[in-house]
Amino acid sequence: MALRFFAGLVCIILRAEMNAENPFNFGDTPGKLPKEVVPIEYSIRIIPRIDKFTFTGTETVKLNVRRPVRQLVLNVLELEVADASIDGKALPDSAVKIDKKNELLTLALPSELARGEHSLALSFAGKINQQGQGLFYVPYQEHGSGTKKIMLATQFEATDARRFFPCWDEPVFRARFQLTAVVPENWLAVSNMPIESEENSAAGKEVRFAATPPMSSYLNVFVAGELDLIESRSGGTQLRVIATKGKAEMGRYALEATAQILQYYNDYFGLRYPLPKLDQIALPGGFGGAMENWGGITYYESTLLFDPKNSSAETKQNIYEVIAHEIAHQWFGDLVTMAWWDNLWLNEGFASWMGTKCTVHFNPQWEVWLRRNLPRDPTRRFGIAKEQAMEGDARSTTHPIQQPIATEAEANSAFDDITYKKGQSFLRMLESFLGEDVFRDGVRRYIAAHKYSNSTTADLWNALSEASKKPAGEIATGWTEQPGFPVVKVKREGEGRVALTQERFTVNFKNAPPLEWKIPLTFAVIGEAPATLLMTSKADSLPDLPADRALKLNVNGAGNYRVQYDDPSWNLLLQALPNLGVEDRVNLLSDAWALVQANRALVSLYFGLVEKLPASAELAEREQLINVLDYINRLLIGSPEGKKFQRYARSLLRPTFDALGWEPKAGEPSTAGNLRASLINALGDLDDSAIIAGCRERFEKYLTDPASLAPDLRPPVFAVVGRYADEKTWNQLHDRGLKTTSIEEKQNYYNALAGAIEPKLIKKTLPIALTDELPTSRAIFLVSRVARQSDHPDIAWDFAKANMKTLLAKTDALGANRYAPGLFTFFAENSRANELRAYAKANLPETSAPEVAKAVDEIQFRSEFKRRLTPQLNAWIDRKKSKPTDH
Ligand SMILES: [Zn+2]
């Protein structure tokens, strides 16, 4: 495993000279499968045996043989294959060979297969999985009755379609897929395309779906169960939201949002959504997020269903954003697909950027760029997407957005913050530099040129360069083909000259290879219109700037770089704070905190800025502060300075909460509810006795009268009550979690159980991860939540270590790589880094090496940061004490 880590480093160092990537070309696309034979159309018939968790299937594949071959090579995984025939002639059993390690099926042919069309037929059998990969089952409690039921669903990205049927399972092998499935008569079956025919037989109901347009195999979907739906139409497209029986009406918000979003994209992309229908399906478990299967998007239930009586504003906003992301994929990902997994960021970075842009367009009040992002890791707090990517990208364990992908395991591990969030952040920076209209024209060119086909990053840059007449590709390569990002240092030099220099920004990364970027800079003299400058070398300058005027770089924080101001520039900015917008203030806060982490500034830089902020209650600004206070609070757990820091932190947050109050006020902005919830949570964690008492009182009332507690307040009130729970309260939370059939509500109760401080109660919470009380995909994260929230990461780790096998059986390979290392990231003692290394060596697969390296880096950083931060904090807080109180 160390080998892979070091291989990564060597690759980074050698990348000083970047090779521009080539436009898409089928023959040159990386991958394992030979390209002589190309599938054109699959006809697949599947018969699930639900009682046995197995299935059988048959398929016929129309092939285009481009050059004569003596064998066929395609993908299978955990399938038994039999009855192979080519052009109607049976092959002997000995001709069928499965290479388990490489997930390949090889069929030896009796004679050379000539150029032209041929037909391959196969029978196969496989299993229905517990984890969300391939075909899987989802156990759930039926809404209303609470009866235990089971439904079926699929999840194929990145490389699991091969678990469902033998196929050319690489994205460049586009084909038509025609699926037929046999399901119980009272079930509804859903796939990418509408149902063409249904027929009842002794075996059940045979459902035949229409064939898809040419697409990549990982975009297939099959869902079946006792389902309900609601529907509408938008233009020529049938829209449906599908959920387990009794829950479809909770899809109303999603259905309405979908019509709005689809219209926006039809216009933006300049090409209408190409399929006759768009289904969105809520799964009450099985997997965690959402998957953009063409025409049949699947969602974890609480990212699609909204119950106006019981769901929070956070849930609603998250639903909108996830839908906007997944529908953007219907063009960017489905209609046009990345050629190979090294370009995954094209799918994910773009869908993240596009989805956020669309969400902001219709919901500007949510401050989306400043705070929200898709919660890929359910144990993490919401935060600014860009900041989360930059945190990881500053470390030694980062990688370029585009990186070579050789194996299936590497394809799966490409789904990380760098791919999604740095990708999104870079596109936003490029758009703000090229201009919105020009950027959109470039995207339209790109979609028109590559529809029903594949592409590389180079194709997107070429389209954007043509549209903008600017060298988009030249700017981009530094950001997508090398790791990290720059900090721009600002220095006033007299006579109105401002010197700019760039260097690589790193955290906990000694001797980092120096790198340079072409930075699309934006800047503004406060009070004047912003301007741009493409910084193409190590040093540059801005002329003619009055020495007494404040200068802000990275206007609205839209750029993916840090800025470090010299003292005169910083002091001018502090004076100008009231004249800056919330985007710029959040950007200054984020940069200041990052400079403290990077040991480029003392903590007084950050808190000095915080104390000068205007006394407004802007959500994003307060949340940036809350995230920092939370980070420090958890870092100081158990140390003598902890209480003192909590007192200081409360003094920063309390005035905002007192102004907001517990109860919603008529006419308050919609973000007030989010802010109130965040503050209750944060102040509860900071041991604020009035907040704790207020939460307990409201929880008591809620137990007898649920309507007495607003949905927005439920998650924080439960969390605070759970944190300071005694056995009786623990049981009350648990009983309600057991009974509710709402996935969102269930999660709120169990999250609260995970935060208890009392070790005896934590030891009651942890074993729930081994049961089926929570959906499979979420159960194991209960342990991660305990590690993060309970003050006892040690108890969580001891439990996980003792039960690792059972826990990992509930997750897929990717989850397994991240799980154990993830539990260590809440430690701040170097000895734990050694313990993790030793544990990984003895127990974890080699594919978890990058995650182990990240966790080791995080522990070492926290240990060093804690040592460095503690005296600085003491000095800052004591300075406060010696002065008359501010609050
Ligand atoms: Zn996505």
Side-chain angles (χ1 to χ4, degrees):
M1 72 190 64
L3 188 71
R4 179 141 178 246
F5 175 48
F6 286 117
L9 275 185
V10 169
C11 154
I12 287 165
I13 293 160
L14 293 180
R15 258 175 185 273
E17 195 181 303
M18 285 167 288
N19 314 317
E21 190 190 30
N22 288 321
F24 170 61
N25 173 308
F26 178 79
D28 297 340
T29 300
K32 247 186 226 166
L33 299 176
K35 297 200 169 61
E36 282 85 8
V37 178
V38 179
I40 304 165
E41 181 160 359
Y42 294 77
S43 181
I44 307 150
R45 185 169 180 272
I46 300 282
I47 310 174
R49 285 289 309 267
I50 298 149
D51 54 333
K52 294 217 156 61
F53 295 129
T54 61
F55 68 93
T56 55
T58 52
E59 70 178 0
T60 322
V61 192
K62 203 187 285 173
L63 303 174
N64 175 21
V65 175
R66 303 166 75 220
R67 275 190 296 278
V69 289
R70 285 300 301 261
Q71 61 175 22
L72 298 176
V73 184
L74 56 158
N75 295 113
V76 287
L77 181 57
E78 295 190 349
L79 288 180
E80 282 166 33
V81 177
D83 308 330
S85 70
I86 188 93
D87 296 329
K89 288 190 231 47
L91 300 179
D93 287 351
S94 61
V96 180
K97 288 230 162 55
I98 292 182
D99 172 353
K100 280 191 179 158
K101 185 165 162 275
N102 289 304
E103 305 180 4
L104 294 175
L105 166 66
T106 304
L107 302 169
L109 304 172
S111 58
E112 197 172 73
L113 203 57
R115 194 193 294 260
E117 275 200 14
H118 295 274
S119 170
L120 165 72
L122 293 169
S123 311
F124 49 92
K127 58 177 189 174
I128 304 179
N129 295 302
Q130 183 191 12
Q131 321 94 310
Q133 54 188 14
L135 180 63
F136 63 95
Y137 65 92
V138 186
Y140 65 95
Q141 293 159 278
E142 191 170 68
H143 190 62
S145 68
T147 315
K148 288 196 170 172
K149 299 271 176 169
I150 268 185
M151 64 177 289
L152 299 182
T154 58
Q155 167 61 32
F156 295 150
E157 193 180 21
T159 58
D160 285 324
R162 64 191 67 171
R163 292 174 188 268
F164 194 49
F165 56 96
C167 56
W168 279 256
D169 198 15
E170 293 178 0
V172 76
F173 289 95
R174 296 180 88 95
R176 296 177 183 278
F177 295 87
Q178 188 279 309
L179 178 70
T180 303
V182 179
V183 299
E185 267 174 52
N186 63 335
W187 281 27
L188 175 68
V190 186
S191 185
N192 305 82
M193 294 295 282
I195 293 173
E196 220 170 49
S197 67
E198 271 188 1
E199 214 173 290
N200 287 332
S201 71
K205 180 168 66 173
E206 176 146 348
V207 185
R208 186 187 158 88
F209 298 96
T212 67
M215 67 175 196
S216 303
S217 51
Y218 77 91
L219 293 169
N220 277 283
V221 65
F222 169 66
V223 177
E226 293 180 45
L227 307 175
D228 275 350
L229 62 88
I230 55 172
E231 63 183 305
S232 70
R233 293 195 80 80
S234 168
T237 314
Q238 180 194 37
L239 306 179
R240 306 195 296 178
V241 172
I242 300 168
T244 57
K245 221 176 208 163
K247 285 186 173 174
E249 193 49 44
M250 292 180 213
R252 188 63 60 188
Y253 173 67
L255 195 65
E256 284 162 9
T258 298
Q260 189 177 54
I261 293 164
L262 198 68
Q263 187 57 47
Y264 180 85
Y265 290 153
N266 279 337
D267 175 55
Y268 190 91
F269 290 114
L271 196 146
R272 295 189 63 81
Y273 174 75
L275 304 189
K277 62 99 173 167
L278 176 56
D279 286 334
Q280 298 182 95
I281 311 143
L283 306 181
F287 78 139
M291 176 62 211
E292 69 264 23
N293 318 298
W294 212 2
I297 308 172
T298 45
Y299 295 83
Y300 185 63
E301 188 184 287
S302 56
T303 55
L304 188 66
L305 300 188
F306 177 75
D307 175 359
K309 276 209 220 60
N310 296 302
S311 296
S312 68
E314 286 287 353
T315 298
K316 186 176 192 173
Q317 293 165 22
N318 190 49
I319 288 169
Y320 198 102
E321 205 185 348
V322 178
I323 292 177
H325 175 104
E326 298 307 326
I327 298 183
H329 272 312
Q330 305 300 300
W331 284 261
F332 236 94
D334 299 0
L335 179 63
V336 180
T337 311
M338 84 250 128
W340 179 243
W341 299 107
D342 56 352
N343 269 309
L344 176 67
W345 91 276
L346 256 188
N347 273 12
E348 296 305 344
F350 192 93
S352 301
W353 167 79
M354 185 85 252
T356 309
K357 185 179 169 72
C358 170
T359 307
V360 170
H361 178 80
F362 291 109
N363 311 279
Q365 74 283 7
W366 289 347
E367 301 183 357
V368 180
W369 283 121
L370 295 182
R371 55 183 304 257
R372 303 189 55 77
N373 68 89
L374 299 179
R376 293 188 53 73
D377 177 347
T379 63
R380 276 177 84 161
R381 257 179 194 277
F382 286 117
I384 305 170
K386 187 183 87 173
E387 292 300 323
Q388 294 180 344
M390 287 171 98
E391 267 175 35
D393 203 18
R395 304 297 185 87
S396 62
T397 48
T398 189
H399 61 81
I401 287 182
Q402 285 181 266
Q403 54 177 347
I405 300 284
T407 65
E408 282 74 11
E410 287 180 6
N412 279 312
S413 69
F415 291 79
D416 66 3
D417 276 356
I418 299 288
T419 301
Y420 280 73
K421 294 172 185 170
K422 186 181 182 183
Q424 151 176 2
S425 180
F426 173 68
L427 289 171
R428 185 179 178 219
M429 176 165 72
L430 192 62
E431 186 206 23
S432 76
F433 184 72
L434 298 181
E436 274 189 85
D437 291 349
V438 168
F439 193 87
R440 185 205 54 214
D441 291 346
V443 170
R444 284 181 178 173
R445 274 170 194 261
Y446 167 83
I447 294 280
H450 299 279
K451 62 186 175 188
Y452 301 106
S453 180
N454 296 63
S455 66
T456 68
T457 300
D459 293 310
L460 179 62
W461 302 150
N462 288 343
L464 287 170
S465 299
E466 282 166 25
S468 68
K469 312 276 182 276
K470 284 183 185 160
E474 265 176 51
I475 300 172
T477 45
W479 301 89
T480 60
E481 296 183 19
Q482 63 183 14
F485 60 89
V487 53
V488 177
K489 293 165 98 170
V490 176
K491 191 162 183 281
R492 303 260 174 166
E493 291 201 318
E495 291 170 13
R497 189 174 174 277
V498 177
L500 306 176
T501 48
Q502 63 158 304
E503 59 194 45
R504 187 173 183 181
F505 183 86
T506 58
V507 171
N508 198 40
F509 187 3
K510 285 199 189 85
N511 307 320
L515 296 170
E516 260 179 48
W517 288 261
K518 291 192 167 57
I519 311 174
L521 277 181
T522 53
F523 63 94
V525 174
I526 304 309
E528 291 176 16
T532 60
L533 168 75
L534 186 61
M535 186 171 180
T536 54
S537 58
K538 176 120 185 82
D540 211 326
S541 67
L542 301 174
D544 302 331
L545 202 83
D548 59 343
R549 297 287 300 277
L551 167 75
K552 167 84 178 41
L553 266 68
N554 197 358
V555 176
N556 292 336
N560 193 78
Y561 51 91
R562 303 271 179 218
V563 182
Q564 186 172 357
Y565 298 92
D566 65 352
D567 286 345
S569 305
W570 184 250
N571 290 331
L572 285 169
L573 270 172
L574 287 181
Q575 287 163 30
L577 269 187
N579 303 321
L580 293 181
V582 63
E583 291 92 346
D584 281 320
R585 294 203 303 271
V586 170
N587 177 235
L588 288 179
L589 285 165
S590 305
D591 275 3
W593 176 240
L595 293 172
V596 175
Q597 290 192 312
N599 205 7
R600 286 170 177 266
L602 299 176
V603 81
S604 53
L605 181 85
Y606 178 78
F607 283 114
L609 172 62
V610 166
E611 294 192 8
K612 286 232 158 48
L613 291 174
S616 62
E618 310 267 12
L619 174 63
E621 199 175 13
R622 296 297 143 183
E623 279 191 343
Q624 200 288 335
L625 172 61
I626 287 171
N627 281 339
V628 170
L629 297 177
D630 177 66
Y631 185 92
I632 299 176
N633 188 35
R634 295 193 185 282
L635 198 61
L636 298 183
I637 283 169
S639 71
E641 290 80 10
K643 290 282 165 207
K644 181 161 134 187
F645 171 75
Q646 289 186 340
R647 226 175 5 254
Y648 173 63
R650 290 198 300 266
S651 78
L652 294 176
L653 297 181
R654 222 18 228 269
T656 316
F657 181 77
D658 291 340
L660 268 180
W662 281 94
E663 305 305 326
K665 293 186 188 70
E668 69 178 17
S670 70
T671 45
N674 304 82
L675 182 55
R676 187 177 286 115
S678 289
L679 285 165
I680 292 172
N681 231 328
L683 285 163
D685 276 356
L686 292 166
D687 208 12
D688 184 309
S689 53
I691 293 287
I692 297 166
C695 287
R696 283 186 171 141
E697 194 186 308
R698 280 163 181 82
F699 183 65
E700 279 304 316
K701 237 197 219 154
Y702 170 82
L703 290 176
T704 50
D705 176 16
S708 67
L709 190 60
D712 278 348
L713 290 189
R714 288 177 201 172
V717 164
F718 298 169
V720 173
V721 166
R723 181 168 175 80
Y724 302 97
D726 56 11
E727 184 122 17
K728 182 174 152 225
T729 310
W730 191 98
N731 288 332
Q732 286 167 331
L733 287 164
H734 186 223
D735 284 347
R736 274 162 183 76
L738 275 175
K739 279 189 195 116
T740 180
T741 58
S742 155
I743 296 298
E744 180 189 350
E745 244 177 62
K746 207 178 262 296
Q747 196 68 56
N748 289 340
Y749 289 119
Y750 284 89
N751 287 353
L753 297 180
I757 301 178
E758 172 58 49
K760 215 173 66 200
L761 296 179
I762 285 305
K763 287 175 184 161
K764 274 175 75 163
T765 303
L766 287 166
I768 297 173
L770 307 175
T771 69
D772 59 1
E773 285 182 32
L774 279 168
T776 315
S777 57
R778 293 294 161 110
I780 65 166
F781 290 114
L782 193 65
V783 184
S784 316
R785 278 194 187 271
V786 170
R788 195 190 114 73
Q789 291 173 3
S790 76
D791 300 5
H792 302 294
D794 49 330
I795 300 180
W797 169 239
D798 287 344
F799 173 84
K801 197 165 48 177
N803 297 283
M804 194 57 82
K805 232 180 135 187
T806 323
L807 290 167
L808 292 188
K810 292 180 178 234
T811 187
D812 57 16
L814 175 59
N817 284 343
R818 289 181 179 175
Y819 189 64
L823 292 171
F824 273 86
T825 55
F826 307 104
F827 289 123
E829 300 87 31
N830 273 325
S831 57
R832 292 289 187 176
N834 297 333
E835 184 184 350
L836 173 59
R837 280 204 198 94
Y839 181 82
K841 200 171 172 193
N843 299 285
L844 298 180
E846 246 180 75
T847 48
S848 67
E851 297 300 326
V852 171
K854 274 190 222 168
V856 165
D857 175 64
E858 179 65 18
I859 301 166
Q860 289 171 338
F861 168 68
R862 287 167 67 95
S863 160
E864 183 273 328
F865 193 41
K866 186 176 175 177
R867 244 187 346 259
R868 174 153 55 89
L869 197 61
T870 307
Q872 292 181 22
L873 273 173
N874 272 332
W876 176 255
I877 297 170
D878 291 343
R879 172 207 62 97
K880 291 270 308 170
K881 229 189 251 164
S882 60
K883 285 198 320 187
T885 47
D886 289 353
H887 298 293

